[in-house]
Amino acid sequence: MNVPIIDPLQGDFPEIIEDFLQHGNMKCIAFNCHGTLLAAGCSDGSCIIWDFETRGISRRLRDSATISPITSVCWSKHGHRLLVSATDKSLTLWDVKKCEKIARITLQHTALHARLDPGPVEPTVCLACPLSSAPLLVDMSDGSSSVLPVSVSQEGNNYIVAPIPRKFSDGSTPFTPTAATFDRSGELICVGNSKGEILIVGVKTSKVYGIIPVPGGAVIKDIVFCRTGQYVLTNSNDRVIRLFENLLPHNNVINELEIIDSLNNNTKNNVEEYDIVEKLKTTGIKCIKYLREFQDVVTKIQWKTPCFSGDGEWILGASASKGEHKLYIWERLGHLVKILEGPKEAIIDVVWHPERPIVVSVSVTGTAYVWAKDYVENWSAFAPDFKELEENEEYIEREDEFDLNPREDEKEKEEVVDEEAEVDIENIEEASIITISNGLHEELRYLPAVPSPDLSEQQDKYPASPSRLEESNNSASPFDNDVVTNGHASSPMEVAENSLAEEDGGASSKRKRKPSAKGMEMQAEKDKRPATKNQKSSSVSKTSKPRTKYDIDSDQDDEFTDGFVF
């Protein structure tokens, strides 16, 4: 996206809080590949799927065996599956559309982060980063797991997983590296350790292909790839976010690494004397290149998980300080362009929309705030010759400006249109956005809505009480007693005529006049006045003979003619 063409003064990044989402106590969030669905893990062990277009809840995934808070959620490549990790050491794989649990396993340690393999359409292999052990590669189909290497030995040509003591000699708890993530292809895993190094590990072989030393040598807390896989962000314990460029291709990554490894071996005459660590660092420098760093030079604050924008042009860092809700936005070239300040609530998670300038941040209160761009109406974008006026101006029209048939010399040249050309109304033109799918499989963009039950179904489910049923049975129409006469059903008009004939003793009645508007108003005023005691007693003494429409009209005529002499 060419930002200067859109607006030379402002970039395509969020500026204000547009909305907020609230359901329970949310802990972590994640968008699907198109940003149409937002998954949120809650403190009660449930996972909410929001329809981000309507801001409504589409699904609620709840496992009866999981009641602990959710630590991370991750979508599959095409959005059909969702991986959820919780503090009860469990990993649960869900089918989002069917709302069914596919598999659930329990680890030995709590997983802070869990990521699905981005390669297959229906992945079963995931990457778990436990709290107190090395990262694990877990197969959800059979429950098997393998520990990934976090360091390389200095002797020989072997890498080892460093043993993790339960406590240091001084009694303090050791810090274990837990930062690890897949690359875009799913063939490699980048693992960060406490020495400030990134290890490039193969998924199938668990072999270390290279080591990338991070400047500063501090503990690496987070590793994030952009959607295209071209750039990488690291969040270190020295309060600095660093940007790297991925030099490896998107396909056949393992073959490229083997070629680089063979070239490094040919540069040395004696391979045995060549230090294995230096060899891996040489390979790592050719794979991932360090570019620049981002930090707050004044306050030196710690950062939460950083992230890229959907197009990779902007970098977002969330403040990890307590009691403040600040988002820092940089250009990829390193310039700080915006600092967003929200409510006095600390941030626990933040994500950027894959296709739009929208950021969603979650506070410690469990509320998700939606940050969006403050758009200003610019009508010249729709009509280039449109001019906004600050005050009224006198306009002098041309002589033939509003003529039906303008002169031939001032007619605009009509565009030549091929009327016989076929118009494609079946295929949808793809938008010019970055997508990570190959188009061979159907993607889950929206979830079908669950219809609410009809009124009749609710009445069947919740029947009325006996008292109400009795009241409904007792409340009958005035025509109920006369509806069935002589064994056959009669219409209301027939019942009215029969009752009228009974009142007049069989004699023919005169035709009643239709009441006027004045009479209708006087009758309405009479109905509004409270009844006196005599009227109440007289009404009680009257029989409960049903009144017909003709009786009501007769009363209205009598009321209207009172006081007049004809």
Side-chain angles (χ1 to χ4, degrees):
M1 182 178 294
N2 196 348
V3 177
I5 292 180
I6 297 176
D7 193 340
L9 300 179
Q10 295 182 358
D12 201 13
F13 51 80
E15 297 173 345
I16 59 173
I17 295 180
E18 180 187 54
D19 196 2
F20 67 92
L21 306 176
Q22 192 171 13
H23 183 85
N25 189 359
M26 292 182 283
K27 294 294 184 181
C28 51
I29 52 177
F31 277 111
N32 64 341
C33 59
H34 288 281
T36 54
L37 300 175
L38 177 68
C42 301
S43 59
D44 60 352
S46 63
C47 185
I48 304 300
I49 308 296
W50 295 85
D51 188 330
F52 199 71
E53 300 296 332
T54 62
R55 308 293 166 87
I57 297 178
S58 297
R59 292 289 187 276
R60 183 179 182 184
L61 308 178
R62 181 64 184 268
D63 186 9
S64 59
T66 304
I67 58 175
S68 302
I70 304 299
T71 58
S72 69
V73 289
C74 178
W75 292 87
S76 62
K77 182 177 181 180
H78 296 280
H80 293 275
R81 295 188 175 186
L82 186 71
L83 179 65
V84 180
S85 63
T87 56
D88 59 355
K89 308 176 184 179
S90 65
L91 291 177
T92 308
L93 186 62
W94 291 90
D95 188 322
V96 178
K97 189 173 182 179
K98 297 180 180 179
C99 202
E100 296 178 354
K101 181 176 63 175
I102 300 176
R104 184 182 187 273
I105 64 173
T106 302
L107 304 176
Q108 296 181 355
H109 304 279
T110 300
L112 296 180
H113 303 282
R115 298 289 180 265
L116 282 172
D117 186 357
V121 179
E122 297 180 351
T124 57
V125 177
C126 66
L127 176 64
C129 300
L131 177 62
S132 56
S133 68
L136 302 174
L137 199 61
V138 183
D139 191 348
M140 298 292 293
S141 59
D142 55 7
S144 60
S145 62
S146 59
V147 182
L148 297 177
V150 295
S151 63
V152 178
S153 64
Q154 296 290 339
E155 298 179 0
N157 193 16
N158 296 321
Y159 51 86
I160 61 172
V161 178
I164 302 172
R166 294 188 177 275
K167 289 186 178 180
F168 288 123
S169 58
D170 58 355
S172 61
T173 304
F175 179 83
T176 303
T178 56
T181 185
F182 286 101
D183 68 339
R184 180 184 174 182
S185 63
E187 299 180 10
L188 297 177
I189 298 176
C190 292
V191 181
N193 58 22
S194 58
K195 299 179 182 179
E197 299 173 341
I198 300 177
L199 276 64
I200 302 176
V201 184
V203 174
K204 296 182 179 180
T205 60
S206 296
K207 176 183 176 181
V208 178
Y209 289 96
I211 298 177
I212 300 98
V214 178
V219 177
I220 299 176
K221 300 189 298 182
D222 300 291
I223 302 175
V224 181
F225 277 85
C226 67
R227 297 190 70 204
T228 59
Q230 185 179 359
Y231 297 99
V232 187
L233 282 178
T234 61
N235 180 22
S236 302
N237 206 24
D238 59 354
R239 309 182 181 189
V240 178
I241 299 174
R242 293 178 173 87
L243 177 65
F244 295 83
E245 183 180 3
N246 185 14
L247 304 178
L248 294 174
H250 298 312
N251 300 322
N252 299 325
V253 182
I254 301 297
N255 295 336
E256 183 68 20
L257 288 172
E258 292 178 353
I259 293 174
I260 296 175
D261 189 24
S262 61
L263 293 177
N264 292 335
N265 293 335
N266 295 333
T267 55
K268 296 294 181 179
N269 296 329
N270 191 356
V271 180
E272 296 179 357
E273 297 178 357
Y274 188 35
D275 194 343
I276 182 63
V277 176
E278 295 297 329
K279 174 185 174 182
L280 292 176
K281 287 183 178 180
T282 304
T283 304
I285 294 174
K286 296 180 180 179
C287 297
I288 297 179
K289 177 184 176 182
Y290 171 72
L291 295 180
R292 61 189 59 89
E293 63 184 27
F294 307 90
Q295 62 177 329
D296 191 338
V297 183
V298 178
T299 59
K300 294 288 185 180
I301 60 175
Q302 290 281 0
W303 304 102
K304 281 292 182 180
T305 303
C307 61
F308 286 96
S309 61
D311 53 6
E313 295 290 337
W314 310 96
I315 295 172
L316 176 67
S319 171
S321 302
K322 296 182 179 179
E324 66 177 13
H325 202 101
K326 287 186 177 181
L327 302 176
Y328 291 71
I329 300 177
W330 294 275
E331 289 181 343
R332 199 177 61 221
L333 299 178
H335 304 291
L336 179 64
V337 295
K338 194 73 174 179
I339 299 179
L340 306 178
E341 296 187 12
K344 301 297 182 181
E345 302 168 359
I347 301 175
I348 58 177
D349 199 6
V350 60
V351 291
W352 196 304
H353 194 279
E355 299 177 358
R356 298 162 59 186
I358 294 178
V359 172
V360 181
S361 59
V362 181
S363 66
V364 292
T365 61
T367 303
Y369 295 96
V370 181
W371 300 78
K373 185 174 177 59
D374 187 12
Y375 290 100
V376 179
E377 293 183 356
N378 184 11
W379 292 99
S380 61
F382 301 95
D385 56 347
F386 183 83
K387 180 181 178 182
E388 296 183 4
L389 301 179
E390 297 181 358
E391 58 183 7
N392 294 335
E393 295 181 3
E394 184 179 358
Y395 178 72
I396 302 175
E397 64 182 43
R398 298 193 309 269
E399 182 180 354
D400 58 345
E401 183 174 0
F402 298 101
D403 293 347
L404 296 178
N405 297 319
R407 292 179 297 180
E408 295 293 336
D409 54 351
E410 295 185 0
K411 283 186 178 180
E412 298 182 356
K413 295 182 179 179
E414 299 181 357
E415 183 181 358
V416 179
V417 179
D418 187 5
E419 298 180 355
E420 298 181 357
E422 297 182 357
V423 180
D424 187 4
I425 60 175
E426 297 180 355
N427 300 325
I428 301 176
E429 183 179 357
E430 294 293 336
S432 58
I433 56 176
I434 299 174
T435 178
I436 59 175
S437 63
N438 52 14
L440 300 178
H441 302 278
E442 182 181 359
E443 298 176 351
L444 182 62
R445 298 196 179 191
Y446 301 98
L447 289 174
V450 178
S452 59
D454 297 335
L455 183 59
S456 58
E457 295 179 0
Q458 292 181 354
Q459 292 177 352
D460 296 340
K461 187 176 180 180
Y462 304 102
S465 60
S467 61
R468 291 191 176 183
L469 289 176
E470 185 178 356
E471 292 176 0
S472 62
N473 293 332
N474 294 335
S475 60
S477 170
F479 304 117
D480 289 346
N481 298 329
D482 301 325
V483 167
V484 181
T485 58
N486 301 328
H488 68 279
S490 302
S491 64
M493 185 60 67
E494 293 176 354
V495 175
E497 293 177 354
N498 295 335
S499 61
L500 184 61
E502 292 175 0
E503 290 182 2
D504 297 341
S508 59
S509 60
K510 294 191 300 181
R511 182 178 179 182
K512 301 296 181 181
R513 294 174 301 173
K514 184 178 180 181
S516 63
K518 182 65 177 177
M520 298 286 288
E521 293 178 0
M522 295 177 66
Q523 179 66 22
E525 293 178 358
K526 182 179 179 181
D527 296 339
K528 291 180 180 179
R529 288 196 297 254
T532 61
K533 294 182 179 181
N534 296 332
Q535 292 175 346
K536 291 181 180 179
S537 60
S538 62
S539 61
V540 173
S541 62
K542 290 181 180 180
T543 59
S544 59
K545 185 177 181 179
R547 292 172 57 83
T548 64
K549 178 176 181 299
Y550 297 98
D551 296 335
I552 297 174
D553 294 344
S554 178
D555 294 343
Q556 291 176 352
D557 292 340
D558 295 340
E559 179 69 21
F560 178 72
T561 57
D562 287 345
F564 294 91
V565 179
F566 296 92

